[in-house]
Amino acid sequence: MAEILPIKAWRYHDSLKDRMEDMISPLFDVVSQKQRQALYENPFNSIHLSVPLGENPALSAKAILENWKNEAVITQDQIPGIYVYYQYFKLPGEEKEFCRKGFIAQIKAYDWHEGVVLRHENTIPKSVNDRVEMLKSTKFQPSPTHGLYEDPMHILEPFMDEAIQDPIYDLEDYQGVREVLAVIHDLPTIKIFLEQIASKSIILADGHHRYEAAIKYRNDMTASNPEHRGDEAYNYHLMYFTNAHSKDLRILPTHRLFTGISLDENDILSKAEDWFNIRKVYDSDEISELILHKQWAFGLVFKDSAYKIRLKPEKFEEFELAIPDVVKSVDLMVLHYFFIEKVMGIKMEEQRFSEKLEYERNLRRCVGRVGEGSADFAVITKEVSMSQVLEVCKSGFMMPQKSTYFYPKTVSGLLFASVDEQEFKFPYQAFRP
């Protein structure tokens, strides 16, 4: 079902190969302010394309991109390839090293209704619009989104394992993750990759805003092109693919922060008692352990106090949304319906737009925001399981925005992809099965 193609990638010039750790950057939605300031000091860091500065960021990125091309800061590979991308990492408190295996290719930017690329969470409209403007201005993709395919037989892994033995880059990123990139140019092998993915649907793991921007860009370009064929550059999107059946896939939680709330702590607890069992916690550092493996349990952190809250089982029957039980039972859906809507009064349909609701992946930073007074309180969550992500996607429904945090994040700067027709052109029919 999913059509993918190898990429004529843009990459940093070979003269910068030994400085790649200074060129890569975090994805635009996980860059802290301190990280940004440090990265912007390097005039060639990829953040200038992914999170550009200026009153008009899209135009700023376009000017920088043109300069980098003219000065050969980045150059384009003449032969398309499948780029193998491995990330070696450890989780806090664990000695075991994991390796998330995958590859980067181009996929057609299928609209949601086509049922080829499946989403599992909502998006925030402003973030989509910003990405569309960037794409229109630059015709360039500075970082891949992350898609999952299901292959219990692990057919592609041996080809990736072989390729990764001869890496283009092998470096450490801002997360302490070892990033390794290699390329496959062998035509018969590339055909195998295309054949395997052609029979599958893709579950979008990360990058919902960028992918939705690619859909909108494709639709806009299609509408303005009376000779649209379907194989033009604007039809394609840069994506990193991993096997959903990999044992080294990790999903971390994203916590919720509330600001500008008119209710005080006592009001919130009083309203929450109608829906949740509430237990005071004397050390907020213990919350993650207290809610672990407990269905519909969350941490509630105020400046000077903390609580464990857990939905009363009988209240689940009052879930009035017309969605399947497999979606209703997801912890974050319970949180957004029973706590954020029923207790806090922010309706489900308004939550994506609400300025009272923020998202923070780092637990310490989240609790710190409350302690310093820049947030009124926080709700501590736990990760969604991979099986739940797959079930929700296949149901055709979605979880709330910022439901999953696949770790580690991919980085910007290892390679780029162009959707400019002149830079995209190649006889791709040679690769098609």
Side-chain angles (χ1 to χ4, degrees):
M1 291 192 291
E3 179 190 333
I4 67 168
L5 293 176
I7 316 162
K8 284 174 62 184
W10 283 85
R11 294 188 292 112
Y12 281 102
H13 191 275
D14 282 346
S15 63
L16 298 171
K17 187 173 183 178
D18 294 336
R19 296 166 53 193
M20 281 301 296
E21 286 187 8
D22 298 325
M23 303 301 159
I24 60 173
S25 64
L27 297 179
F28 78 96
D29 60 343
V30 295
V31 184
S32 70
Q33 192 58 42
K34 286 185 178 180
Q35 283 175 320
R36 289 187 188 191
Q37 290 172 353
L39 296 172
Y40 284 130
E41 291 178 4
N42 182 342
F44 299 132
N45 187 278
S46 57
I47 196 171
H48 293 286
L49 297 182
S50 58
V51 195
L53 293 170
E55 292 184 7
N56 190 322
L59 288 180
S60 176
K62 181 180 180 181
I64 290 168
L65 177 59
E66 290 175 353
N67 180 60
W68 286 9
K69 289 178 178 178
N70 292 335
E71 298 296 324
V73 175
I74 58 175
T75 57
Q76 187 177 26
D77 294 345
Q78 295 306 303
I79 301 173
I82 294 286
Y83 285 81
V84 178
Y85 182 25
Y86 281 15
Q87 293 177 293
Y88 299 85
F89 63 99
K90 292 181 179 180
L91 295 174
E94 296 188 22
E95 287 301 314
K96 178 185 176 182
E97 183 178 64
F98 299 91
C99 177
R100 189 172 69 187
K101 302 179 178 183
F103 65 93
I104 303 174
Q106 300 177 116
I107 184 171
K108 192 163 280 189
Y110 293 99
D111 210 331
W112 305 122
H113 66 79
E114 296 179 79
V116 178
V117 174
L118 310 177
R119 53 183 167 174
H120 70 268
E121 65 181 25
N122 263 318
T123 54
I124 300 170
K126 183 183 182 303
S127 297
V128 174
N129 295 335
D130 290 346
R131 294 294 103 189
V132 173
E133 289 306 309
M134 287 283 292
L135 201 48
K136 286 181 176 178
S137 179
T138 63
K139 298 183 180 179
F140 210 68
Q141 300 173 96
S143 56
T145 54
H146 183 188
L148 305 172
Y149 63 93
E150 292 190 78
D151 175 22
M153 301 301 292
H154 299 274
I155 291 171
L156 298 178
E157 276 78 354
F159 300 104
M160 294 191 284
D161 287 343
E162 181 179 354
I164 210 70
Q165 299 304 312
D166 184 23
I168 301 170
Y169 306 129
D170 188 337
L171 52 93
E172 184 175 308
D173 74 5
Y174 72 104
Q175 309 164 97
V177 173
R178 181 182 165 209
E179 307 272 354
V180 186
L181 187 78
V183 65
I184 296 173
H185 284 134
D186 179 66
L187 191 149
T189 304
I190 291 175
K191 280 187 173 182
I192 293 172
F193 277 76
L194 271 60
E195 287 170 358
Q196 286 300 313
I197 301 301
S199 63
K200 305 181 186 303
S201 57
I202 303 299
I203 295 140
L204 193 58
D206 198 12
H208 284 68
H209 296 95
R210 282 171 287 148
Y211 186 79
E212 195 161 310
I215 293 173
K216 189 173 189 316
Y217 179 69
R218 181 192 180 199
N219 290 342
D220 290 348
M221 292 296 291
T222 299
S224 64
N225 181 8
E227 299 180 358
H228 172 77
R229 304 181 309 274
D231 61 355
E232 297 89 349
Y234 58 75
N235 290 282
Y236 292 90
H237 172 73
L238 185 66
M239 186 173 282
Y240 164 57
F241 298 85
T242 55
N243 189 346
H245 292 272
S246 168
K247 60 181 175 58
D248 285 357
L249 268 179
R250 289 294 177 271
I251 304 175
L252 303 183
T254 300
H255 313 297
R256 273 56 177 155
L257 283 162
F258 292 81
T259 58
I261 300 299
S262 58
L263 300 174
D264 63 20
E265 179 178 336
N266 289 331
D267 292 333
I268 293 169
L269 292 174
S270 178
K271 295 186 69 174
E273 281 179 346
D274 293 339
W275 305 94
F276 294 86
N277 292 312
I278 302 173
R279 171 185 162 192
K280 190 172 180 63
V281 177
Y282 293 96
D283 185 349
S284 60
D285 291 341
E286 296 177 354
I287 284 183
S288 292
E289 294 180 13
L290 291 173
I291 66 175
L292 193 64
H293 306 309
K294 302 290 194 302
Q295 188 179 36
W296 308 331
F298 313 94
L300 196 55
V301 177
F302 295 94
K303 186 172 184 178
D304 299 312
S305 57
Y307 305 86
K308 170 189 169 183
I309 65 172
R310 190 175 186 184
L311 186 72
K312 296 175 180 178
E314 66 273 15
K315 289 295 183 179
F316 185 75
E317 301 304 319
E318 298 181 35
F319 210 137
E320 297 176 348
L321 294 183
I323 56 178
D325 285 347
V326 70
V327 184
K328 285 182 181 178
S329 62
V330 172
D331 275 14
L332 284 171
M333 187 61 76
V334 165
L335 173 69
H336 278 252
Y337 182 77
F338 288 103
F339 185 83
I340 300 179
E341 176 169 312
K342 298 300 184 183
V343 176
M344 300 308 302
I346 307 173
K347 294 187 179 299
M348 292 286 286
E349 61 269 21
E350 298 171 1
Q351 291 172 14
R352 286 194 299 151
F353 309 92
S354 178
E355 295 181 355
K356 297 180 179 180
L357 187 56
E358 298 179 36
Y359 307 89
E360 176 56 65
R361 281 117 178 182
N362 185 291
L363 177 60
R364 182 170 295 179
R365 197 156 52 227
C366 181
V367 174
R369 286 277 307 276
V370 177
E372 71 186 19
S374 63
D376 297 331
F377 71 94
V379 176
I380 307 305
T381 67
K382 54 185 179 293
E383 67 271 15
V384 179
S385 70
M386 188 68 243
S387 60
Q388 283 184 310
V389 172
L390 295 176
E391 288 171 349
V392 170
C393 282
K394 292 171 183 178
S395 76
F397 290 81
M398 290 178 288
M399 293 184 285
Q401 60 281 4
K402 304 293 182 182
S403 290
T404 57
Y405 182 77
F406 283 82
Y407 183 84
K409 288 288 187 180
T410 59
V411 295
S412 297
L414 293 177
L415 61 81
F416 312 98
S418 175
V419 289
D420 179 281
E421 192 64 33
Q422 294 304 311
E423 297 173 349
F424 178 85
K425 278 185 177 178
F426 196 84
Y428 291 105
Q429 61 269 19
F431 297 101
R432 290 189 169 95

